[in-house]
Amino acid sequence: MSKGKIWAGHVSIIALAAAEPLHAQVADQPASEGSAALDAPGEIVVTAQKRSEKLQDVPLSIVALTTEALAERNVRTFNDYAKFLPSLSYTSYGPGQAEVYFRGLSNGNRLSTGSLPTVGVYLDEQPVTTIGSTVDVHIYDIARVEALSGPQGTLFGASSEAGTLRIITNKPDTKAFSGSVDLTANTVAHGKAGGIAESYLNIPLSSRVALRVVGFYQYDGGYIDNVRAPQGVTYPTSGVVRDNAALVGKDQNSIEAYGGRAALKVDLDDNWTATAGLMGQRQTSNGTFAFKPSVGDLKTTRFFPEAQKDEWYQASLAIEGKLGSFDLTYAGAWFERKAAYTSDYSDYAYLYDSYYASSPDYFGNNFRNNAGDLINPAQIVSQDERFTKQSHELRIASPSTDRLRIVAGLFYQRQTNNWRNLYTVPNLADAQSVTGLPGVNYANIQLRTDRDYAAFAEAAFDIVPTLTLTGGLRAYKYDNDVIGFFGFNGTRSAVGEALCFPGTIGSYGTQRPCDNINAKATGSGVRHKLNLSWKAAPGKLLYATWSTGFRPGGINRRPTAPAYAVEQLTNYEIGWKTSWLGGKVLFNGALFLEKLSQAQFAVTSDQNGITDIVNAGRARSKGIEADLTVRPAQGLSFQVSGTYADAVITTDLCRYTNAAFDCTIPSASGNPNSLRAPAGTRFAGSPRFKLSGLVRYEFTLGKFDYFLQAAAFHQSSVSPSLDVDEARLIGFQPSYSTVDISAGISRDTWSASLTVENLGDKRAQQSRTATCAISICGPGSVVVYPLRPRFVSFRVGRRF
């Protein structure tokens, strides 16, 4: 057993041991900034504007899931809470590999030199945003998840262009001891059983010092089967027969995860507090999380073993205090993430070999062993990433009771991404391998460094007690560079070793034959926000916002491709937050229009197949988002949330070749002078409409408390690609509706619940793609990453 598992297990054992003697002297955890305080029904405290405020008083489109709400919804992973955030959409390729979008502005990519995401992801005070792979934090003892729609360019800056997702942990509490232990057994339809063990302890060490520790272990059973591929199918050039008999097996995509966190809070005096935290998580999985519709439901054919490993840790320090009547905050953190993925690329090799059978020198004849014999060209792709980020923010805030309220600060972050992507062919001749990497047919290895600097200020002024004007500015500067190598062995292509700069052989570590990428992108600018809010009556807030966001520019890996410039988003929004019937009814919402200029798109050249990031015109998203909460009687509540976002490009996107656009290039369907995507084409990866609803009834019978709950979700169809021909060939993700149900019982400190997710076992699709170029490989190469099949879990817990 690994040290991480032992540590996580010890936390749970300690909590169990401590439960009996101490539970009688502990009350429920008091509300605080870090524990999602509830002052009254619906009055959740959030920190979306860098100060503690009631959610209903914040003139911002925001959805917050509190500790209580997360527990009621049985949330443990990213997918679990994402379905309850209608303004948020995503595509997922497996655990920890989700791309997150707000208001339909997907525009993502998974390139090492690609543009940064449109959504900033925060873990407490630190941005932990990474390209194409949102950190999947285990949700337990979490204060809240906040989803901030629209550009947050003033207070949160780069990569918060379309929105911000914040995960905020519960902080140590010096007032009382508390804790909990939860054990869960589960099973997935068409797959295997699993389980979770979780625990937290909040330990006051003195009147000024408290420690909070959390630990968990989780195992999820797989449900994707690897089945035998048709026998007798051969590679045309080499004559090698394809066979995956040795890898056939059921339920191969199992997941194991464990981790924890510890936070120490010290009240230095009556005005100053320091909180140091350390958290980490390790997750491993096997197989693929996609199935091939051409093979069968939840079935695929893979020819190489596949695995994923994702581990990360964060060390943080926050110091808060008073300078006179002003609040001063320093927040600094170091984040490091290591991810390794191994995936089968056999379809690409087989289908390309078949497609170019009449001209084998283009493909098949390039794969020989040291003896000169033709070999199986099947490839396995290994991708290793080491991502680091340090961030520092110093801010000051005037008293929240002043007529003029100011938040201002300085921000700096430096992040690196050491990316190593290798395409390996077993037994490939040394002479055909990338120099220094035996068996590697193609290598993509880069070290990317992104530096961001910012100064920001936001001021709110009460023109009259019910009318407030808020304005904000953020001056930013970015400085990004990439150095590395991509390509084949020098004998294979002019792209690769032949493009290495003179004198750089071996200059960047022993793993690279040379550096043919060595470029830098810099830029600066100012973003703004202007908001007018009116408290028309008690519990009735109306607001209008004009705000802007941005994504930094960057460089492409091809030396001949130009750099891409800053992308800018302008948001116009009218919103409302209303409370009726003494807080029994809450109705919030917003109408929005967002305009994107210098839009950054990932486009693939029709000639060489290499993807570049380009500024390809304009786009816009318009729509409405709203949520309604009704509490008609004691213990009964209804919640409905929905978003309609019509996100389209507004300029034609032409075919792309030689780092230029050309509208005269025929499309894959043979239509001459066609566009890759004409104006009006929907963004890929995001639905037009997303809806969630929940009804919960709590009641008491005798000495026991009970609850019954049902939740329903609906999402409209999703395009898999901005390229209209590619989207047609791959096929749209169909719309779907799913239902979750749960019931529970509790008495004193004990509780138990039964939950069934995806009750109808719908084969809903989280993403849809192809294992190689769809125009060459055809519909048989289409794969689907499904929503988890019907999932039944039984949970027992004790709090103390």
Side-chain angles (χ1 to χ4, degrees), residues 37 275 326 418 488 523 534 573 612 620 622 625 630 632 726 763 776 792:
T275 305
F326 284 74
N418 201 328
F488 298 101
W534 175 41
E573 183 175 325
D612 293 335
R620 64 107 177 108
K622 62 180 180 180
E625 52 200 15
V630 181
E726 186 173 81
R763 204 62 69 239
I776 292 177
V792 181

Side-chain angles (χ1 to χ4, degrees), residues 458-489:
E458 191 167 288
F461 178 70
D462 295 332
I463 301 172
V464 295
T466 58
L467 188 65
T468 301
L469 179 66
T470 302
L473 292 173
R474 188 182 188 98
Y476 68 87
K477 177 184 177 181
Y478 65 86
D479 182 355
N480 308 331
D481 61 69
V482 179
I483 185 169
F485 165 82
F486 79 99
F488 298 101
N489 175 278

Side-chain angles (χ1 to χ4, degrees), residues 57-199:
D57 293 338
V58 179
L60 174 70
S61 182
I62 174 175
V63 175
L65 299 176
T66 66
T67 304
E68 182 182 34
L70 292 168
E72 290 175 353
R73 290 158 174 77
N74 203 38
V75 169
R76 286 297 173 266
T77 66
F78 167 82
N79 287 11
D80 293 337
Y81 65 76
K83 61 187 179 184
F84 290 101
L85 304 174
S87 61
L88 181 149
S89 56
Y90 67 95
T91 56
S92 177
Y93 303 94
Q97 299 183 68
E99 298 175 6
V100 185
Y101 322 122
F102 272 94
R103 292 179 173 174
L105 295 176
S106 56
N107 217 5
N109 64 82
R110 300 170 64 82
L111 301 174
S112 58
T113 56
S115 49
L116 293 170
T118 59
V119 175
V121 179
Y122 277 69
L123 184 51
D124 286 325
E125 292 273 6
Q126 186 187 29
V128 292
T129 313
T130 57
I131 294 175
S133 52
T134 301
V135 176
D136 197 352
V137 179
H138 184 80
I139 304 299
Y140 185 74
D141 190 44
I142 296 296
R144 61 190 176 276
V145 174
E146 294 180 0
L148 285 59
S149 300
Q152 310 298 319
T154 303
L155 294 179
F156 294 96
S159 288
S160 286
E161 177 189 40
T164 301
L165 180 65
R166 305 179 69 215
I167 301 170
I168 301 168
T169 61
N170 280 318
K171 304 303 187 293
D173 178 15
T174 59
K175 296 183 178 63
F177 177 91
S178 64
S180 68
V181 177
D182 291 275
L183 301 174
T184 304
N186 56 53
T187 184
V188 62
H190 320 286
K192 294 182 178 178
I196 310 174
E198 306 159 299
S199 182

